[in-house]
Amino acid sequence: MAHLLHIDSSAVSEGSVSRELAGAFRSAWSQAHPDGTVSHRDLGATAVPHLDEAGIVSQFLPAEVQSAEQRKAGALRDELVEELLAADALVISAPMYNWNIPSTLKAWIDQVLVAGRTLAFGEAKPLAGRPATLLLSFGGGYTPGAPQAPRNHVEPYLRTVFKDELEMDLVIISAQLTLAGKVPGMEDLVDLAQKSRSDALAAAEERARKTAGALA
């Protein structure tokens, strides 16, 4: 029985395109793999704390000498790491905020990247080969070759984490121009935005079916 970890990070609860993509993925996953299980962590609704000194130090001190604050911070990191390691597949939805990922998602990533647990240097990496799907939304146009493409710091960072370092089987799907029709000056881009969103929804569903099928 395959297990999916679903992470949402948009601060917007209604009308979020990244959440819509994740919903399409999860629905297709459940249809293709009805016996599969899902854990959902909504960072927009319940953020995890940013990694602080107590959380960092807790990884290097024996439990018997840790302070109460360090034990609490370490327990949270352990919980988040075990949740990730228990997943056969990972799906993360994220919008671009100010040319990068939401701080809530960065906080989660900082908490789960632990040397000797999820990160392994010179050894087999525990998450290597597991499917990871990133479902992204961009208010403007940030595809390769677009004028704004150099300002896209979302995909390069996430690719570094999940593909280069964790060595997961990564697929990135994005909906572009999501602010078309909502902000002045983008009226002529509404049709392109609708096509990008439609294509992204279809791609998310197809990726979910393939992932579920491979793990069934």
Side-chain angles (χ1 to χ4, degrees), residues 180-181 183-189:
V183 300
M186 297 183 69
E187 293 81 4
D188 293 341
L189 300 174

PDB file of all heavy atoms in Angstrom, residues 180-181 183-189:
ATOM      1  N   ALA A 180      -3.196  37.104 -14.666  1.00  0.00           N
ATOM      2  CA  ALA A 180      -3.838  37.677 -15.848  1.00  0.00           C
ATOM      3  C   ALA A 180      -5.335  37.830 -15.609  1.00  0.00           C
ATOM      4  O   ALA A 180      -6.008  36.903 -15.153  1.00  0.00           O
ATOM      5  CB  ALA A 180      -3.582  36.799 -17.072  1.00  0.00           C
ATOM      6  N   GLY A 181      -5.851  39.012 -15.900  1.00  0.00           N
ATOM      7  CA  GLY A 181      -7.252  39.300 -15.651  1.00  0.00           C
ATOM      8  C   GLY A 181      -7.517  39.834 -14.255  1.00  0.00           C
ATOM      9  O   GLY A 181      -8.630  40.261 -13.947  1.00  0.00           O
ATOM     10  N   VAL A 183      -4.796  41.803 -12.550  1.00  0.00           N
ATOM     11  CA  VAL A 183      -3.987  43.016 -12.367  1.00  0.00           C
ATOM     12  C   VAL A 183      -3.943  43.779 -13.690  1.00  0.00           C
ATOM     13  O   VAL A 183      -4.006  43.174 -14.774  1.00  0.00           O
ATOM     14  CB  VAL A 183      -2.559  42.676 -11.886  1.00  0.00           C
ATOM     15  CG1 VAL A 183      -2.600  41.945 -10.563  1.00  0.00           C
ATOM     16  CG2 VAL A 183      -1.810  41.860 -12.925  1.00  0.00           C
ATOM     17  N   PRO A 184      -3.840  45.084 -13.643  1.00  0.00           N
ATOM     18  CA  PRO A 184      -3.798  45.883 -14.875  1.00  0.00           C
ATOM     19  C   PRO A 184      -2.580  45.533 -15.728  1.00  0.00           C
ATOM     20  O   PRO A 184      -1.512  45.196 -15.217  1.00  0.00           O
ATOM     21  CB  PRO A 184      -3.694  47.323 -14.351  1.00  0.00           C
ATOM     22  CG  PRO A 184      -4.216  47.277 -12.955  1.00  0.00           C
ATOM     23  CD  PRO A 184      -3.836  45.935 -12.431  1.00  0.00           C
ATOM     24  N   GLY A 185      -2.792  45.592 -17.035  1.00  0.00           N
ATOM     25  CA  GLY A 185      -1.711  45.367 -17.974  1.00  0.00           C
ATOM     26  C   GLY A 185      -1.556  43.941 -18.444  1.00  0.00           C
ATOM     27  O   GLY A 185      -0.723  43.667 -19.314  1.00  0.00           O
ATOM     28  N   MET A 186      -2.357  43.030 -17.900  1.00  0.00           N
ATOM     29  CA  MET A 186      -2.244  41.623 -18.294  1.00  0.00           C
ATOM     30  C   MET A 186      -3.504  41.119 -18.993  1.00  0.00           C
ATOM     31  O   MET A 186      -3.693  39.913 -19.152  1.00  0.00           O
ATOM     32  CB  MET A 186      -1.946  40.749 -17.068  1.00  0.00           C
ATOM     33  CG  MET A 186      -0.620  41.053 -16.392  1.00  0.00           C
ATOM     34  SD  MET A 186      -0.247  39.944 -14.992  1.00  0.00           S
ATOM     35  CE  MET A 186       0.035  38.376 -15.848  1.00  0.00           C
ATOM     36  N   GLU A 187      -4.345  42.039 -19.428  1.00  0.00           N
ATOM     37  CA  GLU A 187      -5.617  41.643 -20.033  1.00  0.00           C
ATOM     38  C   GLU A 187      -5.425  40.779 -21.269  1.00  0.00           C
ATOM     39  O   GLU A 187      -6.213  39.848 -21.523  1.00  0.00           O
ATOM     40  CB  GLU A 187      -6.438  42.889 -20.391  1.00  0.00           C
ATOM     41  CG  GLU A 187      -6.924  43.703 -19.198  1.00  0.00           C
ATOM     42  CD  GLU A 187      -5.863  44.635 -18.639  1.00  0.00           C
ATOM     43  OE1 GLU A 187      -4.759  44.710 -19.238  1.00  0.00           O
ATOM     44  OE2 GLU A 187      -6.140  45.298 -17.619  1.00  0.00           O
ATOM     45  N   ASP A 188      -4.390  41.052 -22.056  1.00  0.00           N
ATOM     46  CA  ASP A 188      -4.165  40.312 -23.295  1.00  0.00           C
ATOM     47  C   ASP A 188      -3.614  38.914 -23.052  1.00  0.00           C
ATOM     48  O   ASP A 188      -3.449  38.140 -24.007  1.00  0.00           O
ATOM     49  CB  ASP A 188      -3.189  41.079 -24.204  1.00  0.00           C
ATOM     50  CG  ASP A 188      -3.775  42.396 -24.713  1.00  0.00           C
ATOM     51  OD1 ASP A 188      -5.021  42.545 -24.670  1.00  0.00           O
ATOM     52  OD2 ASP A 188      -2.992  43.261 -25.132  1.00  0.00           O
ATOM     53  N   LEU A 189      -3.324  38.583 -21.803  1.00  0.00           N
ATOM     54  CA  LEU A 189      -2.691  37.292 -21.492  1.00  0.00           C
ATOM     55  C   LEU A 189      -3.661  36.282 -20.883  1.00  0.00           C
ATOM     56  O   LEU A 189      -3.252  35.188 -20.511  1.00  0.00           O
ATOM     57  CB  LEU A 189      -1.527  37.521 -20.525  1.00  0.00           C
ATOM     58  CG  LEU A 189      -0.413  38.439 -21.032  1.00  0.00           C
ATOM     59  CD1 LEU A 189       0.591  38.701 -19.920  1.00  0.00           C
ATOM     60  CD2 LEU A 189       0.281  37.824 -22.250  1.00  0.00           C
TER      61      LEU A 189
END
